Amino acid sequence: YMLANSLKLIDFRNNAYSEIEFTDGVNVIYGENAAGKTNILEAIFYFASGKSFRGCKDKELIRFGCDAAAAYLGFSDRQKSAEMGVKLYKNHRREFERDGNRITKLSEYLGAFRAVVFTPDHLALVKGQPENRRRFIDLAICQSYPRYVSYLNEYNRVLAQKNALLRSEAEDSFKYDMISVYNEKMAFSAGAISFNRRRFLKQLEETAILEHYEISGGSEELSIRYNGCFEEEPSGAEETRKAMLLYLNGKAETEIARRMCVFGVHKDDF
């Protein structure tokens, strides 16, 4: 049970200044094409995920001709009411706050407000690129397990460093030595990512099977399969990290030959 009670936007997308009050139950947002209806939904969901569901960069959320934007959301659950805010800048890092207090870590921000968004673009989850499906489950996991975002950020940071090494003109012997160092760092975050993705999809499947059975009148059976680095996932998070390190180290020769990082959780699918 969670309610969005109010939303204030300042130079967010095409909104110079807007204050919106929501009511309990269903709220309908209507208007002309390109009036900014989806921008309101985008702002609300930003407080649940820390990013736009459209996949754009923060600076693209700032109104044209402006240097900064801000959004504030008032919400409540069964226990209390709260307010969250975010300030976006073109030239420096964004700023988060909760109940008037500055927050420096995204993991402290995520999970306070939770929301689900569904748009026509989500139909691409079935037939679209694997990147769409990874992003879908990563956004969902971040809301229920805020620390997950730190694993994603760390993995992507090391992934970029490893790719830079593989593309460099360094000797292969040097690359072998350095890849093992990067793989050890990647395995820690990749193990946590893989473990949590599989756990989330298992929980999703349990509910989705029942819903799809009812929708299809019992004529179809739904299943969700995670295509990751392993056929069978190790039993726990630590075991997954150890197995991930062995897996990545075993692919070093291939990655050096291809001069790019082609194995890891950034290639997973379901």
Side-chain angles (χ1 to χ4, degrees):
Y1 175 84
M2 186 159 285
L3 294 175
N5 300 319
S6 63
L7 179 69
K8 181 165 73 171
L9 303 176
I10 303 172
D11 293 328
F12 186 96
R13 288 289 193 181
N14 65 339
N15 287 278
Y17 186 89
S18 298
E19 288 192 39
I20 304 170
E21 298 291 329
F22 301 107
T23 61
D24 294 354
V26 177
N27 289 258
V28 178
I29 301 170
Y30 65 93
E32 299 291 335
N33 288 340
K37 301 183 295 297
T38 306
N39 297 343
I40 294 172
L41 303 181
E42 183 178 30
I44 294 172
F45 192 73
Y46 193 98
F47 292 97
S49 64
K51 61 178 69 176
S52 166
F53 65 73
R54 289 163 156 171
C56 63
K57 297 179 180 178
D58 283 349
K59 64 182 180 180
E60 296 175 44
L61 302 177
I62 301 173
R63 193 163 68 98
F64 181 76
C66 299
D67 295 322
Y72 301 89
L73 178 73
F75 65 97
S76 59
D77 56 23
R78 294 185 185 277
Q79 281 132 8
K80 64 182 186 308
S81 297
E83 183 180 84
M84 299 172 71
V86 61
K87 296 177 182 178
L88 306 174
Y89 302 95
K90 277 191 175 181
N91 300 320
H92 58 90
R93 297 181 63 180
R94 60 190 176 180
E95 297 176 359
F96 292 107
E97 62 180 61
R98 181 175 173 184
D99 294 328
N101 298 314
R102 178 83 177 273
I103 295 176
T104 57
K105 294 182 179 179
L106 184 60
S107 59
E108 298 174 358
Y109 189 83
L110 296 177
F113 175 74
R114 299 180 182 180
V116 175
V117 63
F118 182 81
T119 73
D121 293 339
H122 282 95
L123 297 175
L125 285 173
V126 179
K127 295 184 178 181
Q129 297 299 314
E131 179 183 0
N132 296 329
R133 291 184 282 277
R134 289 194 298 270
R135 186 167 176 270
F136 168 77
I137 58 176
D138 287 342
L139 282 173
I141 297 171
C142 283
Q143 290 193 59
S144 57
Y145 182 37
R147 189 181 175 187
Y148 183 77
V149 71
S150 65
Y151 292 126
L152 289 173
N153 290 339
E154 175 63 13
Y155 181 85
N156 289 328
R157 183 182 68 84
V158 179
L159 175 64
Q161 294 174 343
K162 184 178 173 183
N163 270 324
L165 170 70
L166 291 168
R167 289 192 298 265
S168 72
E169 300 300 327
E171 296 290 334
D172 285 356
S173 58
F174 176 76
K175 289 183 180 180
Y176 271 113
D177 292 338
M178 289 302 299
I179 281 178
S180 63
V181 176
Y182 286 129
N183 284 346
E184 188 168 352
K185 293 181 179 180
M186 290 180 72
F188 181 83
S189 52
I193 292 169
S194 179
F195 177 78
N196 281 283
R197 282 176 176 174
R198 286 182 182 271
R199 182 171 61 178
F200 172 80
L201 287 175
K202 183 178 180 181
Q203 294 170 343
L204 178 63
E205 184 183 44
E206 291 173 355
T207 301
I209 285 175
L210 299 177
E211 296 292 340
H212 188 77
Y213 184 86
E214 182 176 347
I215 291 172
S216 67
S219 63
E220 298 175 352
E221 184 175 337
L222 175 73
S223 65
I224 302 176
R225 183 178 70 252
Y226 185 66
N227 299 322
C229 299
F230 318 110
E231 287 294 330
E232 294 292 332
E233 186 76 6
S235 58
E238 184 58 33
E239 290 75 12
T240 304
R241 291 188 182 106
K242 292 178 180 177
M244 186 68 68
L245 180 58
L246 291 173
Y247 172 82
L248 293 174
N249 283 338
K251 304 297 183 179
E253 186 175 347
T254 301
E255 291 189 326
I256 288 175
R258 296 189 184 183
R259 302 190 66 174
M260 64 183 300
C261 187
V262 292
F263 301 98
V265 294
H266 61 292
K267 295 293 185 180
D268 289 356
D269 194 8
F270 74 91

mmCIF file of all heavy atoms in Angstrom, residues 187-208:
data_model
loop_
_atom_site.group_PDB
_atom_site.id
_atom_site.type_symbol
_atom_site.label_atom_id
_atom_site.label_comp_id
_atom_site.label_asym_id
_atom_site.label_seq_id
_atom_site.Cartn_x
_atom_site.Cartn_y
_atom_site.Cartn_z
ATOM 1 N N ALA A 187 33.900 -10.294 -10.375
ATOM 2 C CA ALA A 187 33.229 -11.478 -9.852
ATOM 3 C C ALA A 187 32.449 -11.171 -8.583
ATOM 4 O O ALA A 187 31.377 -11.738 -8.344
ATOM 5 C CB ALA A 187 34.245 -12.584 -9.585
ATOM 6 N N PHE A 188 32.978 -10.251 -7.772
ATOM 7 C CA PHE A 188 32.288 -9.911 -6.515
ATOM 8 C C PHE A 188 30.925 -9.308 -6.800
ATOM 9 O O PHE A 188 29.902 -9.745 -6.256
ATOM 10 C CB PHE A 188 33.144 -8.939 -5.706
ATOM 11 C CG PHE A 188 32.521 -8.552 -4.399
ATOM 12 C CD1 PHE A 188 32.641 -9.369 -3.285
ATOM 13 C CD2 PHE A 188 31.785 -7.375 -4.276
ATOM 14 C CE1 PHE A 188 32.053 -9.025 -2.075
ATOM 15 C CE2 PHE A 188 31.192 -7.022 -3.078
ATOM 16 C CZ PHE A 188 31.324 -7.845 -1.969
ATOM 17 N N SER A 189 30.877 -8.288 -7.680
ATOM 18 C CA SER A 189 29.607 -7.643 -7.991
ATOM 19 C C SER A 189 28.756 -8.505 -8.928
ATOM 20 O O SER A 189 27.536 -8.589 -8.766
ATOM 21 C CB SER A 189 29.848 -6.264 -8.604
ATOM 22 O OG SER A 189 30.751 -6.338 -9.685
ATOM 23 N N ALA A 190 29.395 -9.179 -9.884
ATOM 24 C CA ALA A 190 28.650 -10.013 -10.831
ATOM 25 C C ALA A 190 27.961 -11.174 -10.121
ATOM 26 O O ALA A 190 26.843 -11.554 -10.480
ATOM 27 C CB ALA A 190 29.585 -10.548 -11.914
ATOM 28 N N GLY A 191 28.628 -11.738 -9.128
ATOM 29 C CA GLY A 191 28.015 -12.825 -8.372
ATOM 30 C C GLY A 191 26.749 -12.371 -7.673
ATOM 31 O O GLY A 191 25.726 -13.075 -7.672
ATOM 32 N N ALA A 192 26.809 -11.174 -7.075
ATOM 33 C CA ALA A 192 25.633 -10.635 -6.387
ATOM 34 C C ALA A 192 24.522 -10.309 -7.381
ATOM 35 O O ALA A 192 23.341 -10.538 -7.108
ATOM 36 C CB ALA A 192 26.022 -9.394 -5.595
ATOM 37 N N ILE A 193 24.887 -9.782 -8.537
ATOM 38 C CA ILE A 193 23.893 -9.439 -9.564
ATOM 39 C C ILE A 193 23.197 -10.706 -10.074
ATOM 40 O O ILE A 193 21.966 -10.777 -10.153
ATOM 41 C CB ILE A 193 24.563 -8.684 -10.730
ATOM 42 C CG1 ILE A 193 25.021 -7.303 -10.269
ATOM 43 C CG2 ILE A 193 23.598 -8.559 -11.920
ATOM 44 C CD1 ILE A 193 25.911 -6.587 -11.266
ATOM 45 N N SER A 194 23.988 -11.707 -10.423
ATOM 46 C CA SER A 194 23.427 -12.952 -10.952
ATOM 47 C C SER A 194 22.530 -13.637 -9.931
ATOM 48 O O SER A 194 21.427 -14.089 -10.250
ATOM 49 C CB SER A 194 24.566 -13.891 -11.369
ATOM 50 O OG SER A 194 24.059 -15.112 -11.855
ATOM 51 N N PHE A 195 22.993 -13.690 -8.682
ATOM 52 C CA PHE A 195 22.226 -14.336 -7.621
ATOM 53 C C PHE A 195 20.888 -13.650 -7.407
ATOM 54 O O PHE A 195 19.847 -14.304 -7.302
ATOM 55 C CB PHE A 195 23.036 -14.334 -6.322
ATOM 56 C CG PHE A 195 22.311 -14.920 -5.145
ATOM 57 C CD1 PHE A 195 22.194 -16.285 -4.995
ATOM 58 C CD2 PHE A 195 21.731 -14.090 -4.194
ATOM 59 C CE1 PHE A 195 21.519 -16.833 -3.906
ATOM 60 C CE2 PHE A 195 21.058 -14.619 -3.111
ATOM 61 C CZ PHE A 195 20.949 -15.991 -2.966
ATOM 62 N N ASN A 196 20.889 -12.315 -7.368
ATOM 63 C CA ASN A 196 19.650 -11.575 -7.109
ATOM 64 C C ASN A 196 18.713 -11.599 -8.303
ATOM 65 O O ASN A 196 17.488 -11.605 -8.133
ATOM 66 C CB ASN A 196 19.978 -10.131 -6.720
ATOM 67 C CG ASN A 196 20.414 -10.010 -5.264
ATOM 68 O OD1 ASN A 196 19.590 -10.042 -4.365
ATOM 69 N ND2 ASN A 196 21.707 -9.885 -5.048
ATOM 70 N N ARG A 197 19.261 -11.601 -9.509
ATOM 71 C CA ARG A 197 18.394 -11.708 -10.685
ATOM 72 C C ARG A 197 17.664 -13.039 -10.705
ATOM 73 O O ARG A 197 16.461 -13.103 -10.971
ATOM 74 C CB ARG A 197 19.222 -11.555 -11.968
ATOM 75 C CG ARG A 197 19.598 -10.121 -12.316
ATOM 76 C CD ARG A 197 20.487 -10.091 -13.544
ATOM 77 N NE ARG A 197 20.806 -8.731 -13.985
ATOM 78 C CZ ARG A 197 21.659 -8.439 -14.955
ATOM 79 N NH1 ARG A 197 22.281 -9.427 -15.604
ATOM 80 N NH2 ARG A 197 21.905 -7.195 -15.298
ATOM 81 N N ARG A 198 18.378 -14.113 -10.428
ATOM 82 C CA ARG A 198 17.747 -15.439 -10.436
ATOM 83 C C ARG A 198 16.693 -15.548 -9.335
ATOM 84 O O ARG A 198 15.612 -16.111 -9.550
ATOM 85 C CB ARG A 198 18.803 -16.530 -10.263
ATOM 86 C CG ARG A 198 19.644 -16.769 -11.502
ATOM 87 C CD ARG A 198 20.637 -17.897 -11.277
ATOM 88 N NE ARG A 198 21.471 -18.108 -12.437
ATOM 89 C CZ ARG A 198 21.183 -18.926 -13.447
ATOM 90 N NH1 ARG A 198 20.052 -19.598 -13.420
ATOM 91 N NH2 ARG A 198 22.011 -19.071 -14.466
ATOM 92 N N ARG A 199 16.999 -14.999 -8.181
ATOM 93 C CA ARG A 199 16.041 -15.058 -7.070
ATOM 94 C C ARG A 199 14.786 -14.252 -7.396
ATOM 95 O O ARG A 199 13.663 -14.698 -7.126
ATOM 96 C CB ARG A 199 16.704 -14.519 -5.796
ATOM 97 C CG ARG A 199 15.797 -14.596 -4.569
ATOM 98 C CD ARG A 199 16.550 -14.272 -3.294
ATOM 99 N NE ARG A 199 17.093 -12.916 -3.320
ATOM 100 C CZ ARG A 199 17.751 -12.387 -2.298
ATOM 101 N NH1 ARG A 199 17.977 -13.103 -1.209
ATOM 102 N NH2 ARG A 199 18.210 -11.153 -2.375
ATOM 103 N N PHE A 200 14.977 -13.069 -8.001
ATOM 104 C CA PHE A 200 13.836 -12.239 -8.372
ATOM 105 C C PHE A 200 12.961 -12.934 -9.412
ATOM 106 O O PHE A 200 11.726 -12.943 -9.311
ATOM 107 C CB PHE A 200 14.320 -10.895 -8.913
ATOM 108 C CG PHE A 200 13.226 -10.044 -9.501
ATOM 109 C CD1 PHE A 200 12.389 -9.297 -8.690
ATOM 110 C CD2 PHE A 200 13.011 -10.012 -10.882
ATOM 111 C CE1 PHE A 200 11.371 -8.527 -9.233
ATOM 112 C CE2 PHE A 200 12.000 -9.241 -11.426
ATOM 113 C CZ PHE A 200 11.182 -8.499 -10.603
ATOM 114 N N LEU A 201 13.592 -13.516 -10.444
ATOM 115 C CA LEU A 201 12.826 -14.155 -11.511
ATOM 116 C C LEU A 201 12.075 -15.382 -11.008
ATOM 117 O O LEU A 201 10.978 -15.693 -11.495
ATOM 118 C CB LEU A 201 13.744 -14.534 -12.671
ATOM 119 C CG LEU A 201 14.245 -13.358 -13.514
ATOM 120 C CD1 LEU A 201 15.239 -13.838 -14.557
ATOM 121 C CD2 LEU A 201 13.080 -12.641 -14.190
ATOM 122 N N LYS A 202 12.641 -16.067 -10.031
ATOM 123 C CA LYS A 202 11.938 -17.210 -9.444
ATOM 124 C C LYS A 202 10.675 -16.747 -8.732
ATOM 125 O O LYS A 202 9.601 -17.365 -8.859
ATOM 126 C CB LYS A 202 12.857 -17.951 -8.469
ATOM 127 C CG LYS A 202 12.228 -19.194 -7.870
ATOM 128 C CD LYS A 202 13.202 -19.923 -6.946
ATOM 129 C CE LYS A 202 12.561 -21.170 -6.359
ATOM 130 N NZ LYS A 202 13.493 -21.882 -5.437
ATOM 131 N N GLN A 203 10.780 -15.639 -8.002
ATOM 132 C CA GLN A 203 9.612 -15.093 -7.316
ATOM 133 C C GLN A 203 8.588 -14.576 -8.323
ATOM 134 O O GLN A 203 7.371 -14.760 -8.151
ATOM 135 C CB GLN A 203 10.043 -13.971 -6.372
ATOM 136 C CG GLN A 203 10.910 -14.445 -5.217
ATOM 137 C CD GLN A 203 11.522 -13.285 -4.438
ATOM 138 O OE1 GLN A 203 11.563 -12.155 -4.911
ATOM 139 N NE2 GLN A 203 12.002 -13.570 -3.231
ATOM 140 N N LEU A 204 9.081 -13.922 -9.388
ATOM 141 C CA LEU A 204 8.186 -13.412 -10.426
ATOM 142 C C LEU A 204 7.453 -14.554 -11.118
ATOM 143 O O LEU A 204 6.246 -14.466 -11.387
ATOM 144 C CB LEU A 204 8.986 -12.608 -11.450
ATOM 145 C CG LEU A 204 8.210 -12.046 -12.645
ATOM 146 C CD1 LEU A 204 7.160 -11.049 -12.192
ATOM 147 C CD2 LEU A 204 9.173 -11.398 -13.646
ATOM 148 N N GLU A 205 8.172 -15.628 -11.388
ATOM 149 C CA GLU A 205 7.574 -16.765 -12.082
ATOM 150 C C GLU A 205 6.441 -17.381 -11.273
ATOM 151 O O GLU A 205 5.400 -17.756 -11.820
ATOM 152 C CB GLU A 205 8.641 -17.822 -12.375
ATOM 153 C CG GLU A 205 8.111 -18.995 -13.182
ATOM 154 C CD GLU A 205 9.168 -20.059 -13.409
ATOM 155 O OE1 GLU A 205 9.884 -20.392 -12.444
ATOM 156 O OE2 GLU A 205 9.283 -20.543 -14.540
ATOM 157 N N GLU A 206 6.617 -17.477 -9.958
ATOM 158 C CA GLU A 206 5.591 -18.086 -9.107
ATOM 159 C C GLU A 206 4.256 -17.356 -9.232
ATOM 160 O O GLU A 206 3.195 -17.975 -9.287
ATOM 161 C CB GLU A 206 6.067 -18.096 -7.651
ATOM 162 C CG GLU A 206 7.232 -19.045 -7.398
ATOM 163 C CD GLU A 206 7.795 -18.912 -5.994
ATOM 164 O OE1 GLU A 206 7.332 -18.008 -5.250
ATOM 165 O OE2 GLU A 206 8.700 -19.696 -5.632
ATOM 166 N N THR A 207 4.323 -16.026 -9.281
ATOM 167 C CA THR A 207 3.103 -15.236 -9.423
ATOM 168 C C THR A 207 2.606 -15.220 -10.869
ATOM 169 O O THR A 207 1.402 -15.356 -11.131
ATOM 170 C CB THR A 207 3.346 -13.789 -8.952
ATOM 171 O OG1 THR A 207 3.769 -13.804 -7.588
ATOM 172 C CG2 THR A 207 2.086 -12.950 -9.086
ATOM 173 N N ALA A 208 3.544 -15.064 -11.809
ATOM 174 C CA ALA A 208 3.163 -14.958 -13.223
ATOM 175 C C ALA A 208 2.499 -16.233 -13.735
ATOM 176 O O ALA A 208 1.592 -16.172 -14.570
ATOM 177 C CB ALA A 208 4.395 -14.639 -14.065
#
